[in-house]
Amino acid sequence: MSAANVRKARNRIASEKMTPLMALIIFALVIYFVIIAYPLIWMLFNSLKTYKEIYKDIWALPSVPQWQNFTDAWEHGISNYFLNSLLVTGSTVIGAILFAALAAYALARFRFRGSQIIFAMIMGGMMLSPQVTLIPLYKIIQTLNIHNTFWALIIPYIAYRIPLIVMLVRSHFLTIPKEMEESAILDGCSSFGVFTRIFLPMSKPILLTATILVAYYAWNEFMYALIFIDSDKLRTIPVGLMNLRDALLTNWGVLLAGMTISALPLIILFLLMQKQFIRGMTAGAVKG
Protein backbone atom coordinates (compact mmCIF):
# COMPACT_ATOMS: atom_id res chain seq x y z
CA MET A 1 0.00 0.00 0.00
CA SER A 2 1.49 3.34 -1.06
CA ALA A 3 2.04 6.29 1.22
CA ALA A 4 -0.60 8.28 -0.67
CA ASN A 5 -3.21 5.57 -0.04
CA VAL A 6 -2.28 5.51 3.65
CA ARG A 7 -2.77 9.27 3.91
CA LYS A 8 -6.11 9.02 2.14
CA ALA A 9 -7.24 6.28 4.52
CA ARG A 10 -6.23 8.32 7.53
CA ASN A 11 -8.02 11.40 6.22
CA ARG A 12 -11.15 9.33 5.52
CA ILE A 13 -11.12 7.90 9.05
CA ALA A 14 -10.57 11.34 10.56
CA SER A 15 -13.43 12.83 8.52
CA GLU A 16 -15.76 10.01 9.54
CA LYS A 17 -15.02 10.56 13.24
CA MET A 18 -15.43 14.33 13.06
CA THR A 19 -18.97 15.29 14.11
CA PRO A 20 -20.57 18.75 13.98
CA LEU A 21 -20.38 18.93 17.76
CA MET A 22 -16.66 18.15 17.76
CA ALA A 23 -16.05 20.71 15.03
CA LEU A 24 -17.93 23.33 17.06
CA ILE A 25 -15.92 22.53 20.17
CA ILE A 26 -12.62 22.74 18.27
CA PHE A 27 -13.66 26.05 16.74
CA ALA A 28 -14.60 27.43 20.17
CA LEU A 29 -11.24 26.30 21.60
CA VAL A 30 -9.36 27.97 18.75
CA ILE A 31 -11.24 31.23 19.34
CA TYR A 32 -10.52 30.97 23.07
CA PHE A 33 -6.83 30.38 22.39
CA VAL A 34 -6.67 33.45 20.14
CA ILE A 35 -8.36 35.58 22.81
CA ILE A 36 -5.88 34.41 25.46
CA ALA A 37 -2.72 34.44 23.33
CA TYR A 38 -3.25 37.67 21.42
CA PRO A 39 -2.58 40.07 24.34
CA LEU A 40 0.62 38.20 25.15
CA ILE A 41 1.80 38.32 21.53
CA TRP A 42 0.87 42.01 21.29
CA MET A 43 2.83 42.73 24.47
CA LEU A 44 5.88 40.87 23.16
CA PHE A 45 5.89 42.66 19.80
CA ASN A 46 5.47 46.11 21.34
CA SER A 47 8.23 45.40 23.86
CA LEU A 48 10.58 45.17 20.87
CA LYS A 49 9.64 48.61 19.51
CA THR A 50 11.02 52.08 20.08
CA TYR A 51 9.00 54.79 21.81
CA LYS A 52 8.14 56.43 18.47
CA GLU A 53 7.10 53.16 16.81
CA ILE A 54 4.64 52.39 19.58
CA TYR A 55 2.95 55.78 19.29
CA LYS A 56 2.99 55.67 15.50
CA ASP A 57 1.24 52.29 15.19
CA ILE A 58 0.73 49.93 18.11
CA TRP A 59 -0.52 47.16 15.79
CA ALA A 60 2.46 47.07 13.43
CA LEU A 61 5.37 44.67 13.76
CA PRO A 62 8.68 46.13 15.01
CA SER A 63 10.87 47.30 12.12
CA VAL A 64 14.06 46.48 14.02
CA PRO A 65 13.68 44.41 17.24
CA GLN A 66 14.85 46.48 20.22
CA TRP A 67 16.28 43.78 22.48
CA GLN A 68 17.89 46.60 24.44
CA ASN A 69 14.48 47.24 26.03
CA PHE A 70 14.81 44.00 27.99
CA THR A 71 18.29 44.93 29.15
CA ASP A 72 17.11 48.39 30.22
CA ALA A 73 14.13 46.93 32.09
CA TRP A 74 16.37 44.44 33.89
CA GLU A 75 18.86 47.15 34.87
CA HIS A 76 16.13 49.55 36.02
CA GLY A 77 15.23 47.28 38.92
CA ILE A 78 13.32 44.36 37.41
CA SER A 79 16.16 42.04 38.43
CA ASN A 80 15.68 42.91 42.11
CA TYR A 81 11.89 42.73 41.91
CA PHE A 82 12.19 39.41 40.07
CA LEU A 83 14.30 37.87 42.83
CA ASN A 84 11.94 39.22 45.51
CA SER A 85 8.98 37.66 43.73
CA LEU A 86 10.83 34.35 43.44
CA LEU A 87 11.52 34.36 47.18
CA VAL A 88 7.98 35.29 48.17
CA THR A 89 6.33 32.94 45.67
CA GLY A 90 8.62 30.01 46.48
CA SER A 91 8.08 30.41 50.23
CA THR A 92 4.33 30.71 49.73
CA VAL A 93 4.16 27.58 47.59
CA ILE A 94 6.18 25.50 50.06
CA GLY A 95 4.29 26.77 53.11
CA ALA A 96 0.79 26.54 51.63
CA ILE A 97 1.24 23.03 50.19
CA LEU A 98 2.95 21.71 53.33
CA PHE A 99 0.29 22.93 55.77
CA ALA A 100 -2.60 22.17 53.43
CA ALA A 101 -1.40 18.63 52.68
CA LEU A 102 -0.99 17.84 56.37
CA ALA A 103 -4.43 19.24 57.15
CA ALA A 104 -5.99 17.40 54.21
CA TYR A 105 -4.41 14.11 55.34
CA ALA A 106 -5.78 14.49 58.85
CA LEU A 107 -9.27 15.40 57.60
CA ALA A 108 -9.33 12.59 55.03
CA ARG A 109 -7.94 9.69 57.06
CA PHE A 110 -8.64 10.37 60.73
CA ARG A 111 -12.06 10.35 62.35
CA PHE A 112 -12.29 12.59 65.40
CA ARG A 113 -14.93 14.74 67.03
CA GLY A 114 -15.34 18.06 65.29
CA SER A 115 -13.50 17.10 62.10
CA GLN A 116 -16.41 18.16 59.90
CA ILE A 117 -16.69 21.47 61.74
CA ILE A 118 -12.97 22.11 61.26
CA PHE A 119 -13.28 21.29 57.56
CA ALA A 120 -16.26 23.64 57.23
CA MET A 121 -14.31 26.41 58.96
CA ILE A 122 -11.38 25.92 56.61
CA MET A 123 -13.70 26.02 53.61
CA GLY A 124 -15.23 29.18 55.02
CA GLY A 125 -11.92 30.88 54.40
CA MET A 126 -12.66 30.73 50.67
CA MET A 127 -15.49 33.21 51.22
CA LEU A 128 -13.22 35.85 52.74
CA SER A 129 -12.21 38.55 50.30
CA PRO A 130 -8.70 40.03 50.69
CA GLN A 131 -10.16 43.51 50.33
CA VAL A 132 -12.56 42.99 53.25
CA THR A 133 -9.81 41.85 55.64
CA LEU A 134 -7.29 44.50 54.62
CA ILE A 135 -7.67 46.82 57.63
CA PRO A 136 -7.69 44.18 60.41
CA LEU A 137 -4.87 42.30 58.67
CA TYR A 138 -2.84 45.50 58.47
CA LYS A 139 -3.29 46.04 62.24
CA ILE A 140 -2.26 42.43 62.95
CA ILE A 141 0.88 42.84 60.84
CA GLN A 142 1.74 46.03 62.67
CA THR A 143 1.24 44.29 66.02
CA LEU A 144 3.48 41.40 64.98
CA ASN A 145 6.10 43.95 63.86
CA ILE A 146 6.52 42.33 60.46
CA HIS A 147 5.39 45.30 58.37
CA ASN A 148 7.77 46.04 55.49
CA THR A 149 9.19 42.51 55.56
CA PHE A 150 8.68 39.52 53.30
CA TRP A 151 6.72 37.84 56.10
CA ALA A 152 4.01 40.48 55.70
CA LEU A 153 3.31 38.96 52.28
CA ILE A 154 4.18 35.31 52.80
CA ILE A 155 1.94 34.68 55.82
CA PRO A 156 -1.26 36.20 54.32
CA TYR A 157 -0.61 34.53 50.98
CA ILE A 158 -0.30 31.13 52.66
CA ALA A 159 -3.43 31.72 54.74
CA TYR A 160 -5.53 32.67 51.73
CA ARG A 161 -4.42 29.69 49.63
CA ILE A 162 -4.78 26.98 52.28
CA PRO A 163 -8.61 26.52 51.98
CA LEU A 164 -8.52 25.88 48.23
CA ILE A 165 -5.54 23.54 48.44
CA VAL A 166 -7.06 21.61 51.37
CA MET A 167 -10.23 21.07 49.36
CA LEU A 168 -8.34 19.78 46.29
CA VAL A 169 -5.82 17.60 48.15
CA ARG A 170 -8.39 16.15 50.56
CA SER A 171 -10.63 15.13 47.65
CA HIS A 172 -7.70 13.31 46.06
CA PHE A 173 -6.64 11.64 49.33
CA LEU A 174 -10.14 10.18 49.66
CA THR A 175 -9.63 8.30 46.38
CA ILE A 176 -6.54 6.45 47.64
CA PRO A 177 -7.50 2.90 48.68
CA LYS A 178 -7.53 2.47 52.42
CA GLU A 179 -6.07 -1.03 52.01
CA MET A 180 -2.72 0.50 51.00
CA GLU A 181 -2.62 2.49 54.21
CA GLU A 182 -3.55 -0.53 56.32
CA SER A 183 -0.87 -2.67 54.66
CA ALA A 184 1.78 -0.03 55.34
CA ILE A 185 0.73 0.20 59.00
CA LEU A 186 0.91 -3.60 59.35
CA ASP A 187 4.45 -3.43 57.97
CA GLY A 188 5.36 -1.04 60.79
CA CYS A 189 4.94 2.30 59.02
CA SER A 190 3.81 5.22 61.16
CA SER A 191 1.01 7.60 60.19
CA PHE A 192 3.54 10.22 59.13
CA GLY A 193 5.40 7.55 57.17
CA VAL A 194 2.19 6.63 55.35
CA PHE A 195 1.74 10.31 54.52
CA THR A 196 5.25 10.82 53.16
CA ARG A 197 5.79 7.42 51.49
CA ILE A 198 2.35 6.65 50.06
CA PHE A 199 0.06 9.67 49.95
CA LEU A 200 2.50 12.28 48.72
CA PRO A 201 4.08 10.17 45.92
CA MET A 202 0.61 9.14 44.71
CA SER A 203 -0.62 12.73 44.78
CA LYS A 204 1.95 14.27 42.46
CA PRO A 205 -0.60 15.60 39.89
CA ILE A 206 -2.77 17.35 42.47
CA LEU A 207 0.26 18.76 44.29
CA LEU A 208 1.66 20.15 41.05
CA THR A 209 -1.75 21.62 40.28
CA ALA A 210 -1.72 23.28 43.68
CA THR A 211 1.78 24.58 42.95
CA ILE A 212 0.54 26.32 39.80
CA LEU A 213 -2.49 27.82 41.52
CA VAL A 214 -0.53 29.12 44.50
CA ALA A 215 2.34 30.42 42.37
CA TYR A 216 -0.06 32.26 40.06
CA TYR A 217 -1.70 33.99 43.01
CA ALA A 218 1.48 34.91 44.87
CA TRP A 219 3.36 36.07 41.76
CA ASN A 220 0.62 38.41 40.54
CA GLU A 221 -0.81 39.70 43.85
CA PHE A 222 -0.73 43.50 43.92
CA MET A 223 -2.79 45.00 46.75
CA TYR A 224 -0.98 43.50 49.75
CA ALA A 225 2.40 43.95 48.05
CA LEU A 226 1.64 47.65 47.63
CA ILE A 227 0.33 48.32 51.16
CA PHE A 228 2.42 46.02 53.35
CA ILE A 229 5.80 46.80 51.74
CA ASP A 230 7.27 50.32 51.86
CA SER A 231 10.89 49.71 50.90
CA ASP A 232 11.67 49.65 47.20
CA LYS A 233 14.28 46.96 47.84
CA LEU A 234 11.58 44.53 49.02
CA ARG A 235 8.96 45.17 46.35
CA THR A 236 7.75 42.37 44.12
CA ILE A 237 7.30 42.58 40.35
CA PRO A 238 3.62 43.72 40.17
CA VAL A 239 4.38 46.80 42.27
CA GLY A 240 7.92 47.25 41.00
CA LEU A 241 6.68 47.69 37.44
CA MET A 242 5.07 50.94 38.55
CA ASN A 243 8.56 52.39 39.00
CA LEU A 244 9.11 52.08 35.25
CA ARG A 245 6.36 54.62 34.69
CA ASP A 246 6.98 58.36 34.77
CA ALA A 247 4.50 61.15 35.39
CA LEU A 248 5.46 62.97 32.17
CA LEU A 249 7.11 60.44 29.89
CA THR A 250 6.92 56.66 30.03
CA ASN A 251 9.11 54.46 27.87
CA TRP A 252 6.43 51.95 26.99
CA GLY A 253 8.87 49.66 25.23
CA VAL A 254 10.88 49.19 28.42
CA LEU A 255 7.71 48.86 30.51
CA LEU A 256 6.27 46.19 28.21
CA ALA A 257 9.62 44.41 28.25
CA GLY A 258 9.41 44.32 32.04
CA MET A 259 5.88 42.95 31.85
CA THR A 260 7.06 40.28 29.43
CA ILE A 261 9.84 39.26 31.81
CA SER A 262 7.34 39.07 34.67
CA ALA A 263 4.99 36.85 32.65
CA LEU A 264 7.62 34.34 31.49
CA PRO A 265 8.05 32.29 34.72
CA LEU A 266 4.36 31.43 35.02
CA ILE A 267 4.06 30.64 31.32
CA ILE A 268 7.06 28.31 31.50
CA LEU A 269 5.76 26.73 34.73
CA PHE A 270 2.38 26.00 33.19
CA LEU A 271 3.87 24.60 29.97
CA LEU A 272 6.06 22.24 31.98
CA MET A 273 3.20 21.08 34.21
CA GLN A 274 0.17 21.25 31.92
CA LYS A 275 -0.37 17.48 31.81
CA GLN A 276 -0.19 17.19 35.59
CA PHE A 277 -2.40 20.26 35.92
CA ILE A 278 -5.19 18.68 33.86
CA ARG A 279 -4.87 15.36 35.71
CA GLY A 280 -4.83 17.15 39.05
CA MET A 281 -7.96 19.18 38.35
CA THR A 282 -9.91 16.00 37.56
CA ALA A 283 -8.41 13.86 40.35
CA GLY A 284 -10.83 13.22 43.17
CA ALA A 285 -13.68 14.95 41.35
CA VAL A 286 -16.20 12.32 42.44
CA LYS A 287 -15.15 12.26 46.07
CA GLY A 288 -16.28 14.82 48.64
Side-chain angles (χ1 to χ4, degrees):
M1 192 174 184
S2 64
N5 292 331
V6 171
R7 286 195 296 269
K8 290 181 180 179
R10 289 178 178 176
N11 293 334
R12 186 174 62 255
I13 294 173
S15 62
E16 291 176 354
K17 291 184 178 179
M18 180 65 67
T19 63
L21 179 60
M22 292 177 60
L24 181 62
I25 293 175
I26 293 174
F27 177 76
L29 292 175
V30 170
I31 296 299
Y32 181 73
F33 170 78
V34 172
I35 294 174
I36 297 299
Y38 178 74
L40 297 175
I41 297 174
W42 179 89
M43 179 177 66
L44 176 61
F45 284 160
N46 280 276
S47 68
L48 297 173
K49 293 181 181 179
T50 63
Y51 179 85
K52 292 182 179 180
E53 283 182 320
I54 293 176
Y55 271 89
K56 182 179 179 180
D57 189 356
I58 61 174
W59 309 109
L61 296 176
S63 57
V64 178
Q66 302 294 317
W67 298 105
Q68 184 63 31
N69 288 340
F70 288 87
T71 303
D72 293 341
W74 189 260
E75 293 177 351
H76 277 73
I78 291 297
S79 58
N80 185 53
Y81 306 141
F82 190 90
L83 294 176
N84 292 342
S85 290
L86 282 180
L87 176 60
V88 172
T89 302
S91 302
T92 302
V93 168
I94 294 173
I97 292 180
L98 175 62
F99 292 123
L102 288 171
Y105 177 65
L107 293 171
R109 287 313 197 197
F110 295 103
R111 295 292 179 263
F112 53 92
R113 182 176 299 179
S115 60
Q116 294 300 320
I117 296 177
I118 294 175
F119 179 66
M121 292 176 63
I122 294 176
M123 292 299 98
M126 298 178 64
M127 297 186 294
L128 291 177
S129 172
Q131 291 81 4
V132 173
T133 60
L134 179 60
I135 295 177
L137 185 58
Y138 183 83
K139 292 183 178 180
I140 293 174
I141 288 175
Q142 292 282 7
T143 302
L144 295 176
N145 198 28
I146 59 175
H147 179 76
N148 199 34
T149 66
F150 288 134
W151 290 112
L153 300 180
I154 295 173
I155 295 176
Y157 289 174
I158 291 176
Y160 274 107
R161 292 297 93 186
I162 281 180
L164 175 62
I165 306 307
V166 167
M167 181 186 68
L168 294 175
V169 178
R170 175 182 176 273
S171 297
H172 179 72
F173 282 174
L174 290 173
T175 64
I176 297 178
K178 200 170 183 63
E179 290 77 9
M180 299 183 64
E181 179 183 358
E182 294 173 349
S183 298
I185 293 176
L186 290 176
D187 290 337
C189 195
S190 64
S191 296
F192 187 74
V194 172
F195 171 71
T196 56
R197 297 180 181 180
I198 297 178
F199 278 73
L200 289 185
M202 294 184 64
S203 305
K204 182 180 177 181
I206 195 66
L207 294 177
L208 292 178
T209 299
T211 298
I212 295 176
L213 296 176
V214 175
Y216 177 82
Y217 171 81
W219 188 269
N220 293 309
E221 202 283 327
F222 179 81
M223 183 179 66
Y224 286 171
L226 176 64
I227 297 175
F228 296 159
I229 300 295
D230 295 332
S231 174
D232 185 64
K233 294 181 179 180
L234 301 179
R235 292 195 184 280
T236 54
I237 275 188
V239 180
L241 287 172
M242 296 176 60
N243 292 341
L244 297 181
R245 298 187 60 182
D246 191 271
L248 300 177
L249 180 64
T250 299
N251 191 334
W252 293 103
V254 175
L255 178 59
L256 291 171
M259 295 174 64
T260 303
I261 293 173
S262 69
L264 280 177
L266 291 182
I267 294 175
I268 295 173
L269 180 66
F270 181 78
L271 291 176
L272 293 176
M273 299 184 179
Q274 57 179 328
K275 291 184 179 179
Q276 289 80 3
F277 180 80
I278 296 173
R279 289 175 56 193
M281 291 301 293
T282 57
V286 297
K287 286 283 185 175

